[in-house]
Amino acid sequence: MMETIIYQEIDEAIARGESFYKIRSYVEKAILERALIKTRGNQTEAAKMLGISRTGLGGILKRVSR
């Protein structure tokens, strides 16, 4: 079900003519939000869960928050 929602949002973004990088940022943001919810906002644990460094998570958060 979540997969269907993500595909629908991607389809709508493509129809609006949004760039690959903008659409990718939506998906990345959704992934980070879910991981942070699961870890109750603990960025270190969220990074471990996703298999990335804490610094990497911070960089992605900064980029997708623009």
Side-chain angles (χ1 to χ4, degrees), residues 14-54:
I14 291 170
R16 289 190 301 270
E18 294 187 24
S19 73
F20 167 81
Y21 300 103
K22 184 70 173 176
I23 296 166
R24 183 178 75 178
S25 74
Y26 298 149
V27 175
E28 288 175 332
K29 187 173 183 176
I31 293 166
L32 296 182
E33 286 175 352
R34 295 302 303 160
L36 288 167
I37 287 168
K38 290 181 178 294
T39 61
R40 297 181 199 167
N42 185 316
Q43 293 184 5
T44 301
E45 288 301 314
K48 284 181 190 175
M49 180 185 292
L50 296 171
I52 60 176
S53 70
R54 168 65 187 83

Side-chain angles (χ1 to χ4, degrees), residues 51-66:
I52 60 176
S53 70
R54 168 65 187 83
T55 305
L57 183 134
I60 297 168
L61 279 172
K62 193 178 290 186
R63 182 168 33 88
V64 300
S65 296
R66 295 181 193 157

